[in-house]
Amino acid sequence: MKIQQQSVIPVFAGDLNRTGLDKTSIKHAFLDHLFFLQGKFPSIATFNDYYMALSYVIRDRLLHRWINTAATYTRQGSRTVAYLSAEFLMGPHLGNNLVNMGITSTTRDAMKELGLNLEEMLGQEEEPGLGNGGLGRLAACYLDSLATLEMPALGYGIRYEYGIFHQVIRNGKQVELTDKWLRNGNPWEIARPEWTVEVKFGGHTEPYTDEQGRKRAHWHPDRVVMGVPYDTPVLGYRCNTANTLRLWRADAPETFDFAAFNQGDYYRAVESKVVSENLTKVLYPNDDAVQGKQLRLEQQYFFVSCALQDMIRIMFLQRLPLDKFHEKYAIQLNDTHPAIAVAELMRLLIDEHGLGWDESWEITERTLAFTNHTLLPEALECWSLPLFKKLLPRHLEIIYEINARFLDRVRIWCMGDPDTVARMSIIGEEGERTVRMAHLACVGSHSINGVAGLHTELLKTSVLKDFHDLSPAKFSNKTNGVTPRRWIVLSNPRLAALLDDTLGEGWAKDLETLRQLEPLAEDAEFRARWRDIKRLNKLDVAHHLRKYTGVAADPDSLFDVQVKRIHEYKRQHLNILHIIALYNRIRQDPDADIQARTFIFAGKAAPGYHLAKLIIQLITGVASIVNRDPLARGRLKIIFLPNFNVSNGQRIYPAADLSEQISTAGKEASGTGNMKFSMNGALTIGTLDGANIEIRDAVGKDNFFLFGRTAEEIATLQRQPAEFIDSNQELQAVLQLIRSGLFSQGDPALFQPLLDSLMHHDPFYVCADFAAYSNCQQQVSKVFQDKELWARMSILNTARMGWFSSDRSIQQYCDDIWKLSPVKVQLEGSDGIGFLQSLQ
Ligand code: F58
C-alpha cells in the first residue's frame, strides 16, 4: 500500500470543540457518533450502540495524545522498550480511559442528562480476555505504568479472535463456552493493514556462499502467512503519553493458492485461507502444563516475527542504521513464549539484512532480556525437535550454531564435565530430542529475572542454577506490581475518594504517599469511615453474587475470598477442606462458636485439567449442602462465582475482608492478586510463598496471618500424608464426609481421584499444612470479632502497600535492565495540532 509522504492536506479540520472535555461537548459528540457512525437515534438504539458511541467519543479524545506521542518518538528517535507477550489481559478499556483522562464524573453527568447510566454502559463492554491469568494481567499493568511514567513503549502480542473461554457452571461443573469478544465490534482498535508483514513457515534451507565468501543460507518456505497489525492506545494516567499495544492477526496472502484457484478448485483455495486464519483463532487456555501443539509454536513464531519486522521497519522509517538496533530497542521476553526471538532476530539481521554472525549476536544479546514466571517443571517449554525442524528449519540451524558456540564456552568453564554440558545444552537429549526454550532465552539475553524475591532465589539455585553459576551478573529480581489506577481508582471509587480527601490527589501516581495513612489507623472516626466503605463494597458485591448465583451473602459476615486460576498448587482444596471442617463442627455441636463467614471462590480450570475441575465440583457440591442446611444458616455461606475475569476481579477485591494466598511454599512465583487485595484493605491469610513474603515484610507481621511450612521445610519433608491424617481427627472426618458421597449426590466414586491424590501422594502438602491452616483461621475469626483491631490492621495494609505499585516495578526495569528514560509528550498549540503540522 502506498503512503502519501508529503501532503497538502491539513492534519486536522480545525474543529477542536469536537474533542472538548466538558459536559456539553461530550453530550454533543455522543449524539453525533450515534447518528453518523452507527446510523441510530435514541428510540431505536440498543444498549450496545450507546456503549459504542461513548467509546468512540472517548477514543476521539485520546487520538491527539496518541498521534502526538507517536510523532514525538519518531522525531526524537526515542529509545523504546518492546514488551513481547503472548498474552495481554487488558480488561475493559472504557472505564480505565475515563479514569486516566480524568473525565469520569463529567462523563457520568453528560450521560445522566441524556437519561443514561454510565455504570450500566461500562458493564456493557465485552472485555478482551486475551490472557490466562497472572502473566497476561501483569503485561497489562506494565503497559499502564510505562505510559504513566512517560516511557516510550510498544506492547506486541496476538489478536486472538477467541480469548480465554467463558466459564459457566452447570450441575456444579465447569462448562467452557467460546469467548466471542469481537462479535459486536471493538471500538478501541485501529487496523493498520499498510504495515502488514509476511511470516514464513516450513520448507527447507539451501546453503550458499556470498560475494564476500561468507557461508549463508536461503530459506525456501512452503507456506507464507500475513500478519496484520491492530493498534490499541494505552493512555497514561493524567499525562499526554499514549503508547501502543500492537496485536497481530493472521491472514492469508492476497494471492492465496493461486494454482488451485486457477484450476477452478475454489474450495481448496479457500481452505488455505482458513488454515492461515486459524493461526490467531484461539488462545490456549492452559495456565500450567504447556501443550506441545504445533499451532502454539506457530502462534509464538508468528507474533515474534511480526514484532521484529515491525521494529526494523520503524528504524528504517526513522533513518536509523540496523547496527544500532540495541540502542534503539530493549526487548523484554515475557516468559519463554516469545523466546524464539533469539533465533529470529539473528535470522533477520544475518539472512535478510546481510550482517555478520558476531555483530548480529552482540546486537541480539544486548537487546534481549528474559523474565521467568514459573518454577513448575511441567510449565517449562520444550519443543519436539522434529516438529521444530519441520516448522522452522532455518531457525533450528541458527540454534545449533548458537548452541555449539555456547557449549564451547561452557566446556572451558566446567573443564569439560559432560553432565554440565548436557544439562546446559539448548537441545535436550534425554528421551525425545527437544529445543529447550528457557535455555535459548537465557543464552540469548543479557538479563534474566524472576518475579519475586523467593522466586528469583529459587531460580538461581534450582531450574536455572547452571546459568546462574556461569553468569551470575545476568540475574536480578524484579518483584511484580499492580497498577493502582485500575485496582484502586477504577475498582474502588469509595476508597479512592477517601484517599483523595485525606491525602489530596496524586497518590495514584505516587503510591508511597499511602504511608501517610498510618497514623490514621489510630483515629476512631477514620476507622469508622474505613469500615463503612468496606461494608458498602460488600453490599455491592453481595448484590452481584445474588444476581449471578442466586445465593445471598450477609454483608456483616466475614468475606473470605479465594479468586485465581484453579490449580492444585494454589490449594483451593485446602480451603474447602477447612470449610467442611467448620461445617462438621456445627453439625457436631449446633452451639459451636463459629464466626459467620461468606466464602467466595472464583476461577477457571484448564479444560483438560481433571483434578482442577474436580476441585470446582467439590466446592459447588459443598456449597449446595451447606447453603441449604438450616443449622449453617447465618453462619456459613459458600459461593462460587462463575467466569472470573478482570471485570469480576474489580468487583471482588474491594469487597474482601480476608484474602486467601495459600499456595504450597515455593510454588507460586509471585502472585499479583495478593497485592490487589491488600491494597484494598483485605488482610491476608497466607504461606511464605512468592510475593506474600514481601507483602508480609511490608505490612508488618502483626498485620498478616501466616501459616504453613516454608519452601525449605517442604523440600526436605520426608513424612507421608497418612501420618498427618492419622494424627488429625478433624481431617479424618472431613475426608470421610467427602468419601461418603454427601457432597456428590450420593456418588462416593466422584471425588475418589482427589481423595487418592490427597491421601496417597499429596503432592502439594495439603494434609501437611491442614492443621496449621485450621489454627490460623481460628486466629482470623478471633481478630475479626474485634472490629477496631481489624480496621486498624486493614488500614495499615493499605498504607504500607505503596511499594507494590507496578510503577515501582517498571521503574526498576527501566533503570536496571532497559536503561530507559522518560520522554515528555507536549500537546503544543491547539492540542498538538501545530506540532503535527510542523512535521508535514
Ligand atoms: C504467573 N504465571 C505466575 N502463567 O504463576 C504467578 O505467580 C505470577 O504472579 C504471574 O505469572 C506474573 O508474574 C502465569 O500466569 C501463565 O498463565 C502461562 C500461560 C501460557 C502457558 C504457561 C503458563
Side-chain angles (χ1 to χ4, degrees), residues 371-639:
T371 305
N372 170 289
H373 294 264
T374 184
L375 295 161
L376 299 185
E378 61 272 30
L380 291 177
E381 289 194 298
C382 292
W383 290 106
S384 135
L385 199 123
L387 168 70
F388 199 98
K389 182 170 181 171
K390 187 176 85 176
L391 204 66
L392 302 170
R394 178 63 188 136
H395 295 78
L396 188 61
E397 288 174 359
I398 292 172
I399 289 172
Y400 280 151
E401 181 66 25
I402 293 172
N403 200 32
R405 291 170 183 241
F406 171 64
L407 293 183
D408 277 347
R409 252 185 70 209
V410 170
R411 250 177 240 108
I412 297 173
W413 171 69
C414 69
M415 301 286 282
D417 173 41
D419 291 344
T420 307
V421 174
R423 278 203 315 273
M424 295 185 80
S425 174
I426 299 172
I427 308 297
E429 308 270 0
E430 74 283 358
E432 186 203 29
R433 296 183 81 206
T434 57
V435 183
R436 297 161 161 169
M437 300 308 272
H439 293 204
L440 180 63
C442 285
V443 176
S445 300
H446 67 277
S447 155
I448 302 165
N449 75 281
V451 290
L454 173 69
H455 171 237
T456 302
E457 284 316 304
L458 292 173
L459 270 185
K460 294 199 282 197
T461 52
S462 63
V463 209
L464 300 180
K465 178 177 188 311
D466 294 315
F467 292 90
H468 178 252
D469 290 349
L470 176 67
S471 326
K474 276 193 186 184
F475 283 73
S476 74
N477 176 55
K478 298 285 169 284
T479 299
N480 287 166
V482 300
T483 171
R485 273 74 64 181
R486 183 175 291 275
W487 298 112
I488 302 179
V489 183
L490 180 60
S491 64
N492 197 346
R494 296 186 182 100
L495 176 60
L498 176 66
L499 296 175
D500 283 348
D501 240 32
T502 316
L503 311 168
E505 288 190 19
W507 57 269
K509 234 179 163 146
D510 178 9
L511 208 62
E512 292 283 3
T513 312
L514 293 182
R515 202 169 287 280
Q516 293 166 22
L517 293 174
E518 275 191 27
L520 293 166
E522 295 309 321
D523 177 335
E525 205 181 310
F526 188 80
R527 285 200 301 273
R529 281 173 85 184
W530 193 264
R531 271 198 303 268
D532 285 348
I533 289 172
K534 185 62 85 182
R535 190 164 194 285
L536 290 171
N537 290 345
K538 287 167 79 172
L539 267 172
D540 281 354
V541 103
H543 186 75
H544 186 83
L545 294 170
R546 173 89 211 230
K547 183 165 167 198
Y548 288 92
T549 69
V551 184
D554 171 8
D556 294 319
S557 66
L558 189 166
F559 277 22
D560 179 336
V561 186
Q562 188 170 19
V563 291
K564 51 181 76 228
R565 287 297 288 252
I566 311 290
H567 203 296
E568 286 168 273
Y569 85 76
K570 295 179 189 279
R571 301 201 293 193
Q572 281 91 356
H573 44 348
L574 175 58
N575 188 344
I576 196 76
L577 292 189
H578 168 248
I579 296 172
I580 298 171
L582 291 181
Y583 175 54
N584 199 32
R585 272 183 222 168
I586 293 178
R587 290 299 303 248
Q588 298 304 314
D589 170 12
D591 298 323
D593 176 24
I594 283 182
Q595 164 63 45
R597 293 197 194 211
T598 301
F599 295 94
I600 299 168
F601 290 88
K604 295 174 185 176
Y609 188 173
H610 299 297
L611 272 184
K613 288 182 137 177
L614 211 48
I615 292 174
I616 294 182
Q617 259 188 290
L618 181 58
I619 297 169
T620 57
V622 175
S624 82
I625 295 294
V626 174
N627 293 351
R628 280 184 295 154
D629 188 332
L631 270 183
R633 187 158 306 145
R635 304 162 95 181
L636 301 179
K637 269 282 160 64
I638 305 158
I639 304 179

Side-chain angles (χ1 to χ4, degrees), residues 87 132 134-135 286-287 296 337 373 451 480 569 668-671:
E87 306 188 358
N132 269 288
L135 171 144
N286 295 10
D287 72 323
R296 169 109 177 130
H337 322 137
H373 294 264
V451 290
N480 287 166
Y569 85 76
E668 187 72 270
S670 162

Side-chain angles (χ1 to χ4, degrees), residues 32 73 138 148-149 157 179 212 289 305 337 358 369 439 482 497 672 687 747:
D32 222 49
Y73 296 163
L138 185 76
T148 299
L149 295 177
D179 166 53
Q212 290 138 47
S305 181
H337 322 137
D358 292 332
H439 293 204
V482 300
T672 42
T687 48
D747 176 4

